[in-house]
Amino acid sequence: MILHPATPSQAFPTTYGSAMNFTVRHLVFVAVAIVVCSAPAAGQETAWRAAYAAGENARQAGDHAEYAAQMAAAVAGMPAGHLNRPFAQYQAARASALLGDAAAAGGFLVMAWEEDIEKLMISISEFDTAFDNVREHQAYVEVVARAEDMDLGMSRLADGIYLLEGGGSNVLASFGDDGVLLVDTGYRAAHAALRRALSTVGATTVEFVILTHPHEDHWGMVADLVGEAEIWAHPGTREAMAEPYEFMDDVILEPRLRESRSVLEMTERDFRFNEEVVVFDVSAHTASDLAVYFPESGVLHMGDAYLAGNPMIFPGGDDPDGFLDRLESRLAGMADGTILVGGHDPPTRLEALHTQIRETRACMRLARSSLAEGMTVEETVEAAGDRFPPQWVSYFYRQFVAADVPPLP
């Protein structure tokens, strides 16, 4: 998960291409939807961001030694549990590998694995030529082999609905007379672990898959499931499957599917599979986000459109009000006790999403009222004080200026 020193308005595009690259994906986490940090951590946040930016500059300049030093500094300065630590650790590992330092490369990969924020990101190294210098070294071989023996956590959320954790993203599994329905799959490296988890409840096949959006940690197994399962996805996700996947500037994966016709399209659909399943569009994190709701079980999977660590929900695009209105309309029919599952966080309750929406609307009102009063973005951030994170205030202010959105009365 990547940080970026640019301001949110510079870093986050209004729309995405069909195969949005990994770097831009994580700008949503960092530059726009900033994870909440306490005030004392502000200096620490600035320091690791500066180190990371310097490391990126060194990488692009081909200065491997500086690349390694700065990425190591970014990892050292980044708070424990930060959503972006796995990607910073990956960058530090690949920089070390470019220098031929197998021990350091393996050490950073082990760190990413053991911290378990998104440990299977290390599997990308198998496709990254930067690691060619260290592939035969024991330190590297031992850590990448861990994926083969890993197990997924499996917990029951409701009758017939289970959460599978540890495959890179939260995977929901619905079991019943119609078979197994998965919402997302996780990284491809977790395929054997997924099969083992399903076997614990007597499942040997997967009949139905719904993908929330086109990112490797959510769709990685799709090629292994084609022909076995009926696979459904947003049209943008379907299109992205046939395109190369850019993990970062120097690392491009082969298309997940050379022929995407084996994937069926959906944006809004209500059908039965074991129980009623309601799918609806929540495109904001990417241009192709789907949410999946199981009304009878009271479980809602929002994919990466919901991140528990953020103070607000990112509404995306040119019409944030319309996005929030449509989402609230969908949520209005859901019980307060509905279990909310995001792409990477422990399950929570629906009220957490309502709280994010209220905070988002309040921040948007502040940005609009400041524009109406002729305030600058710096004055608006200062006026917000501790009420809203400055990155969010700046993002909405600049977005409304760019879109010439009239202020609210």
Side-chain angles (χ1 to χ4, degrees):
M1 300 173 181
I2 191 171
L3 61 119
H4 198 283
T7 62
S9 62
Q10 294 168 325
F12 187 79
T14 302
T15 58
Y16 298 95
S18 59
M20 180 175 127
N21 69 49
F22 195 93
T23 299
V24 175
R25 159 160 95 92
H26 288 90
L27 296 177
V28 179
F29 288 139
V30 186
V32 180
I34 295 296
V35 177
V36 180
C37 297
S38 61
Q44 182 184 29
E45 186 84 3
T46 300
W48 71 254
R49 287 179 186 279
Y52 192 96
E56 275 286 273
N57 290 336
R59 178 183 65 79
Q60 293 168 13
D63 186 342
H64 299 335
E66 183 69 5
Y67 177 30
Q70 292 294 345
M71 287 303 174
V75 171
M78 191 178 292
H82 198 292
L83 283 175
N84 291 284
R85 277 185 67 80
F87 195 68
Q89 290 159 343
Y90 183 92
Q91 289 263 50
R94 81 184 301 271
S96 299
L98 285 167
L99 292 174
D101 189 343
F108 282 115
L109 294 180
V110 168
M111 187 188 301
W113 181 274
E114 293 183 347
E115 290 184 13
D116 198 16
I117 299 171
E118 191 172 329
K119 64 185 180 184
L120 277 173
M121 190 181 294
I122 74 168
S123 65
I124 299 294
S125 67
E126 298 181 59
F127 308 95
D128 187 345
T129 58
F131 289 86
D132 288 351
N133 290 335
V134 302
R135 291 200 193 282
E136 304 304 319
H137 290 263
Q138 186 175 1
Y140 177 80
V141 172
E142 287 181 353
V143 66
V144 297
R146 295 186 182 197
E148 298 176 9
D149 300 321
M150 67 173 288
D151 289 315
L152 300 183
M154 188 170 180
S155 56
R156 177 183 171 277
L157 300 184
D159 287 342
I161 301 286
Y162 288 78
L163 175 66
L164 305 181
E165 300 172 276
S169 62
N170 286 332
V171 176
L172 283 188
S174 167
F175 301 96
D177 293 340
D178 295 323
V180 176
L181 179 153
L182 298 181
V183 182
D184 285 342
T185 70
Y187 280 104
R188 188 175 193 179
H191 186 206
L194 175 74
R195 296 293 186 178
R196 286 194 292 271
L198 296 180
S199 70
T200 63
V201 291
T204 58
T205 60
V206 175
E207 282 70 33
F208 206 104
V209 177
I210 303 172
L211 301 172
T212 63
H213 63 284
H215 289 148
E216 184 66 16
D217 51 334
H218 294 262
W219 72 0
M221 299 180 205
V222 67
D224 300 292
L225 295 170
V226 166
E228 173 184 346
E230 191 171 303
I231 299 173
W232 290 81
H234 189 285
T237 298
R238 179 179 181 269
E239 180 183 350
M241 287 179 183
E243 299 179 7
Y245 185 88
E246 188 176 352
F247 177 77
M248 57 182 289
D249 291 349
D250 302 329
V251 187
I252 299 177
L253 280 62
E254 291 294 316
R256 267 290 152 247
L257 292 177
R258 290 291 185 183
E259 180 49 76
S260 64
R261 284 184 296 182
S262 53
V263 176
L264 303 171
E265 295 183 355
M266 68 163 67
T267 52
E268 307 278 335
R269 189 180 175 198
D270 188 337
F271 61 99
R272 290 200 67 83
F273 188 99
N274 296 330
E275 63 174 280
E276 184 181 6
V277 183
V278 179
V279 180
F280 56 97
D281 193 312
V282 288
S283 296
H285 170 67
T286 76
S288 310
D289 295 299
L290 295 177
V292 185
Y293 177 46
F294 300 88
E296 296 166 31
S297 295
V299 178
L300 170 65
H301 195 317
M302 286 283 291
D304 283 357
Y306 173 75
L307 297 171
N310 289 331
M312 306 174 206
I313 185 168
F314 181 69
D318 296 326
D319 184 17
D321 298 284
F323 173 86
L324 295 174
D325 289 344
R326 290 189 297 274
L327 179 56
E328 285 190 310
S329 177
R330 284 290 188 177
L331 301 181
M334 299 181 190
D336 292 339
T338 296
I339 297 170
L340 174 62
V341 178
H344 299 274
D345 307 291
T348 184
R349 297 290 177 177
L350 196 61
E351 177 54 30
L353 181 53
H354 284 297
T355 298
Q356 284 194 351
I357 293 172
R358 288 193 294 269
E359 286 295 288
T360 305
R361 289 194 185 277
C363 188
M364 289 164 58
R365 283 195 296 272
L366 171 68
R368 284 178 163 130
S369 64
S370 296
L371 279 169
E373 296 171 16
M375 296 170 63
T376 65
V377 63
E378 292 80 11
E379 290 169 338
T380 305
V381 168
E382 183 177 357
D386 295 332
R387 178 70 177 85
F388 304 111
Q391 293 89 345
W392 285 91
V393 176
S394 176
Y395 171 75
F396 284 122
Y397 182 100
R398 295 180 190 281
Q399 185 191 37
F400 295 153
V401 168
D404 196 24
V405 176
L408 293 175

